[in-house]
Amino acid sequence: MLHKTKFYLLGLAGLSIVLSTACKTQPDHPNQLNAFDGATYNSLTLAHAALSSFRDQISSGLPQYAPAFNEAATAYEDAFSAYATYRSQPQQNLVVVSAITELTRTLLNLENGLISGAHADSQAVASVRGKALRLRSRAGRNITISDILTELEIAASVAETIPATGPYSKIASMVIEATNQALAAQEAAAGQPIDLSTIQPLPPIQ
């Protein structure tokens, strides 16, 4: 019980750090059209890296999560297409906002399915989500990378409460790894030119 509580507290601390980081201004990309353009690219970079990680792991042994992944992959493709159009027609930003919102919803659906399948403690889930909601409300609702990053970090924080030696540790480690990959991609892209070739849509799992 002490081991589980330790990881739970570490997860909450990590969530606070990541959320506070997400709320700060990210370094500009030298070829971005404006702040919205840069923030959208950052959001898609996070989502692309997380989905790439999820795809590799789900396709190699967890087929029950393929439908939820495919839903998120389709939403990502729609968001990417809307964003690519926006970069040549900047007046189309509302379409991009709607597509990113749907992408966030499908990522949340995928993560919730994984967390449920890993039998995470419901009290831990509620506590982490409550803390995230409070932190996010303080940050406001500006167009930033915070929504997708928050959902990824919530899932990772909950996954850290699942015993590493238990029967559901594979699912928990998958969620944590996807979040780590997303954060690494965000760091690598910070301040670099926007390059759509690095965030191309992912194929569905057959």
Side-chain angles (χ1 to χ4, degrees), residues 14 78 86 95 98 103 105 121 129 145 147 150 191 194 196:
D78 292 343
Y86 165 80
V95 177
S98 177
L103 172 58
R105 183 194 69 78
D121 180 75
R129 287 204 169 278
I145 65 172
D147 283 335
T150 297
I194 289 174
L196 298 188

Side-chain angles (χ1 to χ4, degrees), residues 105-164:
R105 183 194 69 78
T106 60
L107 276 172
L108 177 59
N109 184 56
L110 173 59
E111 291 166 349
N112 281 343
L114 291 165
I115 292 300
S116 177
H119 294 259
D121 180 75
S122 59
Q123 186 176 0
V125 175
S127 181
V128 171
R129 287 204 169 278
K131 183 175 181 64
L133 181 61
R134 291 192 297 275
L135 290 167
R136 184 154 44 178
S137 66
R138 295 176 198 157
R141 299 297 301 173
N142 296 324
I143 300 298
T144 69
I145 65 172
S146 61
D147 283 335
I148 287 177
L149 183 55
T150 297
E151 296 308 333
L152 290 169
E153 187 62 21
I154 286 171
S157 295
V158 173
E160 287 176 343
T161 71
I162 297 168

Side-chain angles (χ1 to χ4, degrees), residues 25-95:
T25 302
Q26 299 297 306
D28 287 345
H29 302 282
N31 60 337
Q32 70 181 40
L33 303 176
N34 49 40
F36 176 85
D37 182 28
T40 302
Y41 179 71
N42 292 338
S43 293
L44 291 177
T45 296
L46 283 165
H48 182 271
L51 286 172
S52 294
S53 180
F54 280 134
R55 189 184 191 286
D56 290 344
Q57 298 181 77
I58 290 172
S59 62
S60 66
L62 294 166
Q64 66 270 37
Y65 299 107
F69 170 85
N70 289 342
E71 180 188 31
T74 297
Y76 179 86
E77 183 174 9
D78 292 343
F80 176 87
S81 296
Y83 176 58
T85 299
Y86 165 80
R87 297 214 80 225
S88 61
Q89 302 174 35
Q91 68 274 21
Q92 300 295 323
N93 64 310
L94 292 180
V95 177

Side-chain angles (χ1 to χ4, degrees), residues 178-197:
T179 301
N180 288 340
Q181 291 297 323
L183 292 171
Q186 174 202 350
E187 183 177 354
Q192 299 300 310
I194 289 174
D195 181 359
L196 298 188
S197 70

